[in-house]
Amino acid sequence: MTADSEMEIKEAFNRAQKGHNNKAKLVAVLKNRYNTLEDKTLFHEKFIHYLKYAMIVYKREPAVENVIEFVAKFASSFQSSSKNDKEGEQQQEEEEEDEEEEDDHPFLTFIFNFLLEVHMLVVVVDPAQVTQSMTSNIFVCVSPVMPSIQLLTPHTHSNCSPPHAAYMLILDNDSNAEVRRAVLSCIAMSPITLVKVLKRTRDVKESVRKLAYQVLADKVHVKALSIAQRVTLLEEGLHDTSEAVREAVKTRLLPSWLKHLDGDVVLLLPRLDVENCSETALEVLKAIFTNMPEEEMLKDRTHCSVQGGALCEFVRAKGDEGEEMLEKILPDAATYADYLQGFVRTVPVLSEAQRAEFNSLEMAMRKEFISQQLIHLVGCLDTNEEGGRKRVLAVLQELLCRPQTPASLVSLLTEKLLSLIPDDNRRIQMVAEIISDVREPIAEAGPPLDEAQDRRRQIKLAEVKVRILEARQALDDCIAAQEFSNAAQFKDSITELENQRNLVLQEAAEGSQPVDREVRTEKSDPDTLLRCLTMCAELLKQMNIKTRIGPTLSAIVSSLIVPCIANAHPAVRNMAVVCLGTSALHSKELAKAHMVLLLQIAQLDEVKIRISALRSIIDLLLLFSFQLLSEKPVTQATPASHSPGGQEEEEPTEEKGDLAGDTAQSILQLLSEFLDGEVSDLRTETAQGLAKLMYMDRFSSAKMFSRLVLLWYNPVTEGDTSLRHCLGVFFQLYARESRAHQEVVGESFLPTVRTLMNAPATSPLAEVDPSNVVELLVELTRPGTLIKPSANHEVCVHDSMALRVCGEILKDQTAPEVRLYAKTLNNLEVSANEGTRQELHALLLEVVKDRISLRAVEKVIDRLVDSKEQAEQHTETALQPLDINADGQKKTPAPKSGRKGSRRAESSEESDGENVPESLPRARPSRRAKTAALERYKLDLNPLIDQEANTS
């Protein structure tokens, strides 16, 4: 190759960097030069030489993008020319021979070999133009190192082709978000790849999630998804933390689905299973109405119940603006109440045989669901007019008293009834009357009839009637014969017989007519009791928490709720427990009386009922604190003060002499046992309850906090999303709330580490990485994480943690965990307190003998050894604002398994790693180290260490 050719290649690359240049012209000129060369080897080498300058730039620079585009067009031009040449071929044999030669074009072969060598592949040609041999080689080396990489993707595959396998591998394992986005943008849809794309809607990166929804909207028909997949997509998408993702669902996914269904919303609803996922359907409809003109919303008023309900809620949310529109949709309150009453009465009551028939059961369930939606609309009615409001109240009351009303509607009917009555006393009176009518319906009763006596009356009445007929016939004959004297006798006889007849009729009527009196018969079947308890639970939930238990509610508790606790039907027992716990929130005396009963239920009954009892216990402790369990008031104390020897405070932070009572300790012991139980739902509810109690300062325990941390990291709870999420949020909020909370976290440090280091090989905790747990506890106790930072003169929590760690190392300087402790010391932020620094310095001089640990300790000593001027400089810098995340929180490390060394990931704009904020600048304190401090801490630590060993 001549020097002129080399200059042309260099000039082509230089000009290609500028966007205004015509790349097609550059390609044509360079290709002509390439075709004139006999030896193309030097051309290939120079071409790659200049290409490498662009490949080493890992950012999205315009010049680099232009060069890559130029290279792609240049390479693809050889395939285009080959296709044009083939069009002129006539014979199939010649076409096949030419195709083989053309597929092995020297430049394409060279460029692909080069790209495979550097583990990188840029889109250069149409997928259909790649040979099978190229494809096989390409997907062996799918290990991209740049985010702008895109892979070739044939759009028609059978089963799982190599491109599919490569794409799915990247989507599942590649840590770079841009790579995952690149794959999503060009992947072909199939039943295999669809699952992977659906999984990306839960990606950690907002941009990937958004693109996944867009891909599903553009490439996947709504009928290709199952009902569960549609519902999951909408639930997660509409509740995504990112506004951009939510907008992608509203503006891309939903319109795409409606387009597939000819824009008919009614056709979309059955594909979302509205009967079982009504909340999701309502949110979907509101999202659709947001982008729908008002004329179109009112165009068709024959909405289904769900669509109509969602439309009314949507319009009502507009406030005064939507009042006029709402009047066009709904009738007046009285008319709607009559319609509701008539429809609910059409819901059939199925027998056992009818429940076994699918069609009958489906029809009944559909009518129940429609009834629920119609009841929801009661909240949208205009009940300001007195007549309409009274009619709605009467209808709701009648439906609640009606035995044929489905039990699934009772709670909703009660809620709407109570929403129309603002006064709690009137609410209580109304619900009490309904419960009385349902449980003890009014019936009229009379004495039993004597059949023999009634028969005799009937015979006597018949005889009198016959004699009257005979007398009247004789009277007519006498009148006809003008025998008026006889006629007068027959007339008197008829009058007497009629009096006899009336007397017999009166006796018969008095004997058969029941006595006008009311008789109430108490019903105790499970269905009736469940109805009454459901109404009672809804009433207690709607009542103001400050409303006390009066005589009416006390009667309901004693006559209905408490007896149902022992009912044989589980649903009745569960609702009774809910009612008992809720009613106890309104009366401290009632809570004291039934706390032991709730504790017994939490241990002995079915899982669902135990959870209900546990929730009631937690609510009562949150409201009344542990004072509920003591006869005399107890003073809520602050967490224990710092102890340099590392003694843990395992008792709650109320006065030890009071809270150490049997009942309080039994409750904590019971909750601790639930954390170790095998029932995941009960374990999750217990952890959430303990987190609430600790956050609200109802008790404080380093040992319990340690238990929660270990539970969070335990691999057994890996699948429990609710538990992991709750504890993850709790740890950050709890530690940021106050210095006292950070002290609790600091006191839990050593018990937590000891438990992990001493875990047997068969324990799930053996898989937990202790360094990851240590990193969490250190981050939670940093002074900069506090919402209200402590005063400068106050001793930092890290100071006490450092002294505890030193004391732990003194126990056994050859123990394997010494290295972990040394690393921990290096990560702690020791305060500017001169006395603390000197004491810590003295301890550090003696505690470590291991060479690796010694290096970490030396770094700590270097930080401690400094002049007084540098210590003062640290005081000044401590007043600077902290470098924290955008949301005001430092991020804590997520739980990880495996005893591998945990390293903090380097943050970059293209990686998925977490940005861990830098800590405060560490200045070196004074170098004065006193032997007296060392001796004093040796003397103090030894008994405390023994005490730790005994309590652990």
Side-chain angles (χ1 to χ4, degrees):
M1 187 182 70
T2 64
D4 294 339
S5 300
E6 181 178 353
M7 290 300 296
E8 289 183 3
I9 298 174
K10 181 178 180 181
E11 182 65 19
F13 273 90
N14 286 335
R15 296 177 61 184
Q17 297 180 47
K18 300 179 174 60
H20 63 271
N21 283 306
N22 190 337
K23 295 183 178 58
K25 185 176 180 180
L26 294 176
V27 169
V29 172
L30 193 60
K31 185 177 179 182
N32 290 336
R33 170 60 67 179
Y34 179 82
N35 291 333
T36 60
L37 297 176
E38 295 182 359
D39 185 6
K40 298 178 173 55
T41 304
L42 292 177
F43 182 94
H44 294 165
E45 293 177 357
K46 290 300 179 182
F47 190 90
I48 295 301
H49 172 74
Y50 293 114
L51 175 60
K52 288 180 179 178
Y53 286 101
M55 295 175 63
I56 62 175
V57 181
Y58 293 156
K59 295 184 179 179
R60 285 187 174 273
E61 298 291 344
V64 175
E65 296 290 337
N66 291 332
V67 170
I68 296 300
E69 182 182 358
F70 163 71
V71 174
K73 289 184 177 181
F74 180 74
S76 61
S77 65
F78 293 99
Q79 289 295 108
S80 301
S81 62
S82 300
K83 294 181 76 174
N84 294 333
D85 294 341
K86 286 201 300 180
E87 291 179 358
E89 300 295 340
Q90 299 295 329
Q91 299 180 358
Q92 183 175 2
E93 294 180 357
E94 294 179 357
E95 289 178 353
E96 293 176 354
E97 292 176 0
D98 293 339
E99 185 179 7
E100 292 178 0
E101 294 178 359
E102 291 155 4
D103 285 343
D104 294 333
H105 193 282
F107 181 81
L108 293 180
T109 303
F110 176 79
I111 193 72
F112 273 114
N113 288 336
F114 166 74
L115 293 174
L116 290 175
E117 287 176 2
V118 296
H119 288 217
M120 191 160 46
L121 182 62
V122 180
V123 172
V124 292
V125 292
D126 186 87
Q129 299 170 354
V130 181
T131 62
Q132 184 63 35
S133 60
M134 286 183 180
T135 305
S136 301
N137 294 328
I138 287 170
F139 288 98
V140 172
C141 301
V142 180
S143 300
V145 295
M146 289 175 56
S148 58
I149 294 172
Q150 295 180 351
L151 301 179
L152 306 181
T153 174
H155 291 282
T156 55
H157 300 289
S158 59
N159 297 328
C160 185
S161 62
H164 275 152
Y167 279 162
M168 291 187 289
L169 181 66
I170 292 174
L171 287 177
D172 285 341
N173 301 296
D174 202 296
S175 60
N176 195 297
E178 290 299 322
V179 174
R180 299 196 297 274
R181 291 185 75 254
V183 172
L184 282 174
S185 64
C186 57
I187 192 171
M189 287 295 105
S190 69
I192 301 175
T193 59
L194 177 60
V195 178
K196 301 298 181 180
V197 175
L198 290 172
K199 187 177 180 181
R200 285 306 102 201
T201 60
R202 297 184 291 275
D203 196 278
V204 295
K205 282 292 183 179
E206 168 191 334
S207 58
V208 179
R209 298 197 302 273
K210 177 182 176 182
L211 182 59
Y213 279 105
Q214 293 173 350
V215 169
L216 290 171
D218 297 338
K219 297 184 179 181
V220 180
H221 196 283
V222 62
K223 295 182 180 179
L225 300 169
S226 65
I227 291 180
Q229 289 173 335
R230 298 176 200 136
V231 172
T232 302
L233 279 175
L234 294 174
E235 284 181 347
E236 296 177 351
L238 293 175
H239 294 92
D240 196 279
T241 56
S242 168
E243 178 66 25
V245 176
R246 297 196 296 270
E247 284 299 316
V249 176
K250 296 177 182 178
T251 60
R252 294 288 296 274
L253 186 64
L254 285 175
S256 174
W257 287 2
L258 285 174
K259 183 179 179 181
H260 296 156
L261 301 172
D262 300 328
D264 193 344
V265 179
V266 178
L267 294 179
L268 176 63
L269 294 179
R271 289 169 172 80
L272 300 180
D273 190 17
V274 293
E275 295 182 5
N276 295 319
C277 307
S278 57
E279 292 297 329
T280 302
L282 291 175
E283 292 180 359
V284 169
L285 289 170
K286 291 178 182 178
I288 293 174
F289 295 148
T290 303
N291 301 318
M292 183 181 293
E294 179 178 335
E295 297 76 14
E296 189 173 349
M297 282 190 284
L298 297 177
K299 180 176 62 176
D300 183 11
R301 297 188 59 186
T302 59
H303 304 289
C304 67
S305 60
V306 179
Q307 184 181 359
L311 179 59
C312 292
E313 292 288 347
F314 177 78
V315 173
R316 185 189 182 193
K318 293 184 177 182
D320 297 337
E321 180 184 350
E323 288 296 331
E324 182 179 353
M325 186 176 176
L326 194 61
E327 293 178 358
K328 299 177 182 179
I329 302 174
L330 286 176
D332 61 273
T335 303
Y336 186 85
D338 292 337
Y339 176 77
L340 173 64
Q341 183 183 39
F343 188 88
V344 174
R345 286 181 174 180
T346 63
V347 180
V349 179
L350 301 181
S351 62
E352 292 298 330
Q354 290 174 327
R355 290 182 178 275
E357 299 178 2
F358 177 78
N359 293 334
S360 301
L361 182 61
E362 183 183 21
M363 179 60 67
M365 292 178 63
R366 180 176 290 109
K367 286 195 172 185
E368 284 187 26
F369 177 76
I370 296 174
S371 298
Q372 289 177 352
Q373 304 307 312
L374 294 176
I375 296 171
H376 274 296
L377 287 176
V378 171
C380 299
L381 296 175
D382 182 9
T383 55
N384 294 325
E385 194 269 323
E386 185 67 17
R389 189 175 65 86
K390 286 185 177 181
R391 180 56 185 160
V392 174
L393 284 172
V395 168
L396 294 176
Q397 187 174 2
E398 188 271 336
L399 292 175
L400 285 171
C401 294
R402 186 171 176 267
Q404 292 79 16
T405 301
S408 59
L409 305 180
V410 173
S411 178
L412 192 56
L413 287 169
T414 307
E415 176 189 346
K416 298 305 178 184
L417 176 69
L418 297 177
S419 66
L420 299 175
I421 306 174
D423 182 64
D424 279 345
N425 292 326
R426 287 189 57 202
R427 288 176 173 180
I428 295 171
Q429 188 64 33
M430 175 72 74
V431 173
E433 292 176 0
I434 297 174
I435 290 177
S436 177
D437 291 340
V438 171
R439 196 179 182 193
E440 299 178 352
I442 299 175
E444 294 182 350
L449 298 178
D450 188 350
E451 296 182 358
Q453 185 178 0
D454 183 68
R455 179 64 176 170
R456 288 194 295 270
R457 289 197 190 101
Q458 295 294 336
I459 294 174
K460 184 177 181 180
L461 181 62
E463 292 177 351
V464 172
K465 289 180 178 180
V466 171
R467 290 174 61 186
I468 291 175
L469 291 175
E470 292 177 350
R472 285 178 177 175
Q473 184 64 37
L475 177 61
D476 292 336
D477 294 339
C478 292
I479 292 175
Q482 297 184 356
E483 296 176 358
F484 297 105
S485 58
N486 294 334
Q489 294 178 357
F490 284 113
K491 185 177 180 181
D492 295 336
S493 177
I494 292 173
T495 302
E496 183 179 357
L497 290 173
E498 287 179 348
N499 291 335
Q500 293 180 7
R501 183 193 62 182
N502 293 335
L503 182 62
V504 173
L505 289 174
Q506 184 178 357
E507 291 177 356
E510 292 177 353
S512 60
Q513 184 177 1
V515 178
D516 186 13
R517 58 176 181 146
E518 295 180 353
V519 177
R520 291 183 176 269
T521 305
E522 186 178 64
K523 299 171 66 176
S524 59
D525 58 286
D527 182 67
T528 301
L529 294 177
L530 189 59
R531 286 169 180 270
C532 297
L533 290 170
T534 302
M535 288 186 281
C536 183
E538 192 64 36
L539 169 65
L540 293 168
K541 184 172 69 174
Q542 297 288 339
M543 282 171 50
N544 191 310
I545 191 64
K546 296 181 180 180
T547 303
R548 300 295 92 189
I549 298 293
T552 305
L553 274 181
S554 297
I556 293 177
V557 171
S558 59
S559 63
L560 175 65
I561 297 176
V562 175
C564 288
I565 294 290
N567 194 277
H569 200 277
V572 175
R573 290 203 309 276
N574 183 61
M575 190 57 67
V577 170
V578 172
C579 291
L580 182 62
T582 312
S583 60
L585 294 174
H586 296 268
S587 171
K588 190 173 183 178
E589 290 71 22
L590 193 64
K592 287 182 179 181
H594 297 291
M595 174 62 80
V596 176
L597 176 61
L598 292 173
L599 289 170
Q600 293 175 347
I601 296 172
Q603 300 176 72
L604 303 176
D605 217 314
E606 297 183 3
V607 174
K608 184 177 181 180
I609 305 175
R610 293 174 65 188
I611 291 176
S612 297
L614 179 60
R615 289 174 179 170
S616 299
I617 294 170
I618 298 297
D619 289 342
L620 292 174
L621 294 178
L622 285 172
L623 183 61
F624 300 117
S625 183
F626 283 91
Q627 298 176 4
L628 180 68
L629 308 173
S630 57
E631 295 183 359
K632 54 183 179 180
V634 293
T635 304
Q636 185 166 335
T638 58
S641 60
H642 155 60
S643 174
Q647 184 178 6
E648 296 106 30
E649 298 295 332
E650 298 182 356
E651 295 82 11
T653 57
E654 296 172 76
E655 300 243 349
K656 296 181 182 178
D658 296 331
L659 191 55
D662 294 338
T663 307
Q665 292 297 333
S666 298
I667 292 178
L668 295 177
Q669 181 63 30
L670 175 65
L671 298 179
S672 180
E673 292 175 357
F674 288 164
L675 292 179
D676 297 329
E678 297 180 357
V679 183
S680 61
D681 293 339
L682 189 62
R683 181 175 59 222
T684 300
E685 198 66 38
T686 303
Q688 292 177 354
L690 287 170
K692 294 176 183 177
L693 291 171
M694 293 188 69
Y695 182 75
M696 298 300 294
D697 290 327
R698 294 299 178 262
F699 82 100
S700 179
S701 171
K703 182 178 179 181
M704 191 63 73
F705 189 88
S706 174
R707 294 287 301 276
L708 295 178
V709 171
L710 294 173
L711 184 66
W712 194 50
Y713 278 96
N714 198 321
V716 174
T717 64
E718 185 174 1
D720 197 338
T721 307
S722 299
L723 174 66
R724 289 278 179 109
H725 176 74
C726 170
L727 292 181
V729 174
F730 162 70
F731 293 147
Q732 297 188 57
L733 295 179
Y734 182 76
R736 294 175 63 244
E737 185 67 23
S738 67
R739 159 69 190 276
H741 288 178
Q742 283 195 340
E743 287 185 355
V744 175
V745 179
E747 292 169 4
S748 69
F749 177 82
L750 288 180
T752 305
V753 175
R754 288 198 202 103
T755 303
L756 292 175
M757 300 303 296
N758 298 330
T762 56
S763 173
L765 293 177
E767 304 177 16
V768 179
D769 180 11
S771 61
N772 186 232
V773 181
V774 169
E775 184 181 355
L776 168 68
L777 297 177
V778 171
E779 289 295 327
L780 291 178
T781 50
R782 292 195 186 277
T785 61
L786 287 172
I787 298 177
K788 297 180 180 179
S790 304
N792 294 332
H793 64 274
E794 192 173 358
V795 179
C796 175
V797 176
H798 277 194
D799 294 354
S800 60
M801 291 178 63
L803 296 174
R804 288 191 182 94
V805 171
C806 290
E808 192 70 13
I809 296 177
L810 283 175
K811 293 172 58 178
D812 185 1
Q813 300 180 21
T814 62
E817 58 267 24
V818 169
R819 294 185 179 180
L820 177 63
Y821 291 143
K823 180 181 177 182
T824 304
L825 288 173
N826 196 30
N827 292 330
L828 295 175
E829 298 179 17
V830 182
S831 68
N833 184 281
E834 184 176 354
T836 303
R837 287 172 174 266
Q838 292 176 354
E839 294 166 358
L840 185 60
H841 187 196
L843 291 172
L844 290 175
L845 293 174
E846 298 293 334
V847 294
V848 177
K849 303 299 182 183
D850 179 70
R851 184 167 56 88
I852 299 178
S853 303
L854 186 59
R855 287 201 296 267
V857 172
E858 287 174 351
K859 295 180 181 179
V860 182
I861 295 177
D862 291 340
R863 295 206 315 267
L864 295 175
V865 178
D866 206 344
S867 64
K868 182 178 180 180
E869 297 176 357
Q870 291 171 319
E872 294 175 353
Q873 181 182 1
H874 172 75
T875 304
E876 296 177 359
T877 57
L879 299 177
Q880 301 290 332
L882 292 176
D883 180 16
I884 58 178
N885 290 341
D887 59 354
Q889 300 183 25
K890 286 189 176 182
K891 293 190 176 182
T892 57
K896 296 184 291 186
S897 299
R899 297 205 176 208
K900 298 180 180 179
S902 62
R903 296 181 300 172
R904 189 168 299 177
E906 297 182 359
S907 61
S908 67
E909 59 182 347
E910 296 175 350
S911 67
D912 292 340
E914 295 180 339
N915 292 329
V916 181
E918 296 181 358
S919 60
L920 286 172
R922 300 182 177 90
R924 298 180 178 178
S926 174
R927 189 169 186 169
R928 291 174 296 178
K930 299 181 180 179
T931 307
L934 175 62
E935 296 300 327
R936 179 162 58 89
Y937 274 101
K938 283 186 176 180
L939 292 175
D940 289 342
L941 287 173
N942 289 332
L944 294 175
I945 290 171
D946 296 337
Q947 184 175 354
E948 287 286 349
N950 295 333
T951 56
S952 60

